[in-house]
Amino acid sequence: MIEFPDPNQADDDGLLAQGGELTPEFLLSAYSQGIFPWFCEGEPILWYSPNPRMVLKPENFKLRKSLQQTIKRGIFELRIDTAFREVISNCSTVKRRHEELTWITNDMIEAYVKLHELGFAHSFETWFEGELVGGLYGLSLGNCFFGESMFFTKTDASKFAFFHLVQFALKNNFAFIDAQQPTDHLASLGAKPIPRKDFLEMIDKALLHKTLQGKWTDFDNKAFYPGID
């Protein structure tokens, strides 16, 4: 494992180090130490561990009424790990409010596609009439999931994918979903900011569990809908 500087040495913004590589070894080492890459095209590779850290415990997920109605209508289809490259590519190109530049560079895309091929990175995908209209991606180590980014081109499509990620986490006894940076949207879904020190301790405990490595396509998306009849 590649040793990074102690994340507790970073300021609250989280910038900890620069340089290195986007190889699987670097990335898996970073995430296992509570660190992730975040930089724009033309910048050196920058590694972050912010304080506080936004975290969702799956059991604390808040299902909003509008999303519940969307799920009941059955207009979307969930697929997992069938279009990873398409999901991350859409995350890099679909514009978000208040964002002018994407941090998902071509090098980042290729790095995470490699992690997907190795069975560590995963995509939750929302399909509508045979078209990919939303989704999210991230990677999993131990019994936790590190969320990276999401996109949507149809209302509630990314939330639908996130809902299914939470159900997968519940079904497979995941301790938490890392959402990295605090936002009002994540807070509305039940995520909470926690001190970096506590987050690092949570990772240490999560890594004691076996990583669910490989493609997650076998998940039965109809088997676990608590509170939805």
Side-chain angles (χ1 to χ4, degrees), residues 4-59:
F4 282 78
D6 181 355
N8 291 302
Q9 295 176 1
D11 59 20
D12 287 347
D13 287 340
L15 180 58
L16 181 67
Q18 72 175 42
E21 303 171 342
L22 293 175
T23 61
E25 184 182 12
F26 258 91
L27 288 168
L28 295 176
S29 295
Y31 280 92
S32 68
Q33 296 171 67
I35 303 161
F36 58 87
W38 191 27
F39 62 98
C40 294
E41 195 75 59
E43 294 180 340
I45 300 173
L46 303 175
W47 303 90
Y48 281 80
S49 184
N51 183 41
R53 190 80 163 229
M54 200 67 167
V55 170
L56 173 68
K57 293 186 177 180
E59 63 272 19

Side-chain angles (χ1 to χ4, degrees), residues 3 18-19 23 32 63 68 89 104 132 138 147 161-162 168 170 187 192 198:
E3 291 290 339
Q18 72 175 42
T23 61
S32 68
L63 178 60
Q68 185 175 6
S89 295
I104 306 174
L132 180 67
F162 189 77
F168 186 91
L170 285 167
K192 296 180 179 180
D198 295 346

Side-chain angles (χ1 to χ4, degrees), residues 5-178:
D6 181 355
N8 291 302
Q9 295 176 1
D11 59 20
D12 287 347
D13 287 340
L15 180 58
L16 181 67
Q18 72 175 42
E21 303 171 342
L22 293 175
T23 61
E25 184 182 12
F26 258 91
L27 288 168
L28 295 176
S29 295
Y31 280 92
S32 68
Q33 296 171 67
I35 303 161
F36 58 87
W38 191 27
F39 62 98
C40 294
E41 195 75 59
E43 294 180 340
I45 300 173
L46 303 175
W47 303 90
Y48 281 80
S49 184
N51 183 41
R53 190 80 163 229
M54 200 67 167
V55 170
L56 173 68
K57 293 186 177 180
E59 63 272 19
N60 293 336
F61 175 71
K62 295 177 182 177
L63 178 60
R64 309 304 290 256
K65 222 173 244 189
S66 59
L67 178 57
Q68 185 175 6
Q69 291 171 349
T70 297
I71 295 168
K72 282 183 176 181
R73 287 168 60 198
I75 62 172
F76 291 139
E77 175 193 356
L78 171 74
R79 300 181 194 175
I80 302 176
D81 285 347
T82 71
F84 185 90
R85 181 181 288 275
E86 290 86 345
V87 169
I88 190 172
S89 295
N90 274 284
C91 287
S92 74
T93 57
V94 174
K95 294 202 174 192
R96 300 172 183 80
R97 286 177 297 177
H98 313 305
E99 285 189 16
E100 296 182 2
L101 296 174
T102 180
W103 50 269
I104 306 174
T105 65
N106 288 333
D107 287 344
M108 289 277 271
I109 290 174
E110 296 306 320
Y112 284 84
V113 167
K114 181 63 176 176
L115 284 177
H116 173 66
E117 292 170 349
L118 293 172
F120 291 104
H122 306 279
S123 57
F124 283 69
E125 309 146 12
T126 302
W127 294 79
F128 177 75
E129 297 181 350
E131 179 185 355
L132 180 67
V133 294
L136 62 87
Y137 78 95
L139 67 132
S140 181
L141 292 173
N143 71 338
C144 63
F145 186 87
F146 299 91
E148 277 298 314
S149 187
M150 60 177 64
F151 85 96
F152 68 94
T153 58
K154 196 169 180 64
T155 301
D156 281 343
S158 61
K159 295 176 185 175
F160 179 84
F162 189 77
F163 167 81
H164 282 285
L165 166 61
V166 171
Q167 305 317 303
F168 186 91
L170 285 167
K171 190 173 183 181
N172 290 279
N173 299 312
F174 277 35
F176 65 89
I177 297 168
D178 171 35

